[in-house]
Amino acid sequence: MAAAWCMPAAADERERAVAEVAQVYERIKIQQPLLQVHHHYSSSHQQLAQSLLSDALRALNVALSVMKQQRPSPAPATTPPVTSSVVVKAESPRSPSASADSEAIAAPTERRPKKRRSSVMEGNNKTSSSSWVDFTTVPYEDGYEWRKYGEKKINGTSYTRSYFRCTYKDDAGCLATKHVQQKDSSSDPPVFQVTYNNKHTCNNGKLILPFMNIKLEPPVLPPTLAVQAYSALHDPFDQTMLPSQQEPSSLPVTMQQPCGAATSSTTTSSCISGAESCCDEFPVLDMAQMAAAAEASPGYDLLYEELSLLCDSFKFY
DNA sequence: GAGATTTGACCGGA
DNA sequence: TCCGGTCAAATCTC
């Protein structure tokens, strides 16, 4: 059965699954700051939510690491959104007067002619590179640094779209870009659509989680940890979720027997990357407790929803 | 003064 | 021709 994991037929599904898990990881990570915003929560609720989120992020990262480890061909940094931070400023931070002044001073005459672009624009390579979309209410920093390089009013939208590229584009040749578009819906908090293009090739794939103040590196972990991750994200009594009982199209159970051995760990900077040290204290999430917290405080609905999504993502494993 | 942001122009695809 | 994405000069911030 482990062989099935390595079969090319499963590659697409695996890629999809990895992307899905990574997306949930990203969303949880991005929405963590919500806990800091809602000060009216009791400290115990905050602690609970914090704990749950930290556990979920750790578990997800472990699972992602194992999944990536088992890919048939090495595809470094193809994981979509285990990345990226969005720094969206309030509309036009520049003061109106400054803007007006600059216009009055510089506007009248034409700008100098610009250099002609090279024949192939960077963006035109997108067909062969990755692109994915995320929706978030808190487009905060998430570990990568971005530089804004443009802003456009897009037809049919009420808000301008901001364009960002990796700060290290020049230094490291990182081609990661993204654009942020606030949705028209009058939801509170506002929802932003973040579209990512290309993966980060900078920073050696390190992921910095500012909220938890730890660094995660793509770890090399024993597959048993992934099983723990799976267990941690499920009601341990819900046997219907066991992969062996999934429909035929679902992915096989492979974490216990990966194609390639993954035993050595070169990472040291975080608990998640330190496999051995984490095994003993790997969390077991109490979903009932989480649901209760969600009921007790409306703000937890989002978090609960994210974690439920997370669990769903693991059903196929 | 260096680096980041703003913003109109430019470019290519549909 | 329109539109989305990018460029790059001008401007701002530290």
Side-chain angles (χ1 to χ4, degrees):
Chain A
M1 78 175 176
W5 179 262
C6 300
M7 290 175 63
D12 287 346
E13 279 188 329
R14 185 169 56 248
E15 285 293 330
R16 247 190 17 240
V18 170
E20 186 177 352
V21 171
Q23 189 173 16
V24 175
Y25 179 99
E26 170 75 358
R27 293 173 66 186
I28 294 176
K29 184 160 57 68
I30 285 178
Q31 290 179 0
Q32 275 199 357
L34 283 175
L35 294 177
Q36 291 179 315
V37 174
H38 297 94
H39 296 297
H40 58 279
Y41 294 162
S42 71
S43 61
S44 61
H45 280 173
Q46 281 198 4
Q47 278 185 338
L48 169 62
Q50 269 308 310
S51 169
L52 291 172
L53 281 174
S54 296
D55 292 347
L57 287 174
R58 274 202 295 269
L60 264 178
N61 195 62
V62 168
L64 270 177
S65 304
V66 174
M67 290 177 193
K68 287 194 282 186
Q69 185 79 26
Q70 294 170 346
R71 283 179 183 171
S73 61
T78 54
T79 310
V82 184
T83 75
S84 66
S85 71
V86 186
V87 182
V88 178
K89 294 191 166 185
E91 287 293 318
S92 191
R94 186 181 283 189
S95 70
S97 61
S99 180
D101 289 348
S102 63
E103 272 185 21
I105 295 173
T109 57
E110 310 169 356
R111 297 186 175 198
R112 285 184 217 165
K114 295 182 177 179
K115 281 191 243 172
R116 194 174 184 84
R117 288 188 199 180
S118 57
S119 58
V120 178
M121 291 181 5
E122 279 174 35
N124 291 346
N125 291 331
K126 283 171 187 169
T127 51
S128 62
S129 58
S130 63
S131 174
W132 62 96
V133 178
D134 194 13
F135 293 89
T136 178
T137 56
V138 189
Y140 284 161
E141 295 183 18
D142 54 12
Y144 284 101
E145 297 178 45
W146 300 93
R147 177 172 301 173
K148 186 174 180 177
Y149 66 87
E151 184 174 299
K152 285 283 277 193
K153 177 78 175 70
I154 302 300
N155 271 2
T157 62
S158 306
Y159 303 94
T160 57
R161 174 180 296 175
S162 297
Y163 296 87
F164 300 86
R165 69 162 59 96
C166 179
T167 297
Y168 303 105
K169 173 179 182 285
D170 297 328
D171 296 342
C174 180
L175 296 179
T177 65
K178 70 178 178 183
H179 60 253
V180 177
Q181 173 80 60
Q182 182 172 347
K183 304 303 288 182
D184 291 339
S185 66
S186 56
S187 59
D188 183 30
V191 175
F192 296 86
Q193 176 178 338
V194 185
T195 303
Y196 299 91
N197 290 301
N198 300 320
K199 305 108 189 173
H200 281 276
T201 55
C202 59
N203 209 21
N204 299 324
K206 285 181 183 175
L207 171 65
I208 303 169
L209 301 182
F211 187 75
M212 298 194 295
N213 199 27
I214 60 174
K215 277 186 180 179
L216 301 180
E217 299 180 32
V220 182
L221 295 170
T224 50
L225 263 188
V227 177
Q228 290 189 19
Y230 176 84
S231 301
L233 293 163
H234 277 289
D235 181 341
F237 301 104
D238 185 3
Q239 297 301 309
T240 64
M241 287 183 175
L242 288 178
S244 59
Q245 298 179 14
Q246 294 295 314
E247 60 272 19
S249 63
S250 65
L251 294 175
V253 185
T254 57
M255 291 177 176
Q256 297 175 357
Q257 286 195 324
C259 295
T263 54
S264 64
S265 174
T266 57
T267 58
T268 58
S269 60
S270 70
C271 176
I272 189 155
S273 52
E276 283 76 16
S277 63
C278 282
C279 287
D280 294 338
E281 54 192 45
F282 206 89
V284 175
L285 300 187
D286 184 342
M287 300 301 288
Q289 193 179 17
M290 194 161 59
E295 261 187 25
S297 186
Y300 280 94
D301 288 347
L302 260 182
L303 304 175
Y304 180 62
E305 185 181 334
E306 294 292 356
L307 293 177
S308 298
L309 269 176
L310 172 60
C311 293
D312 289 342
S313 298
F314 275 80
K315 282 180 182 177
F316 298 100
Y317 288 87

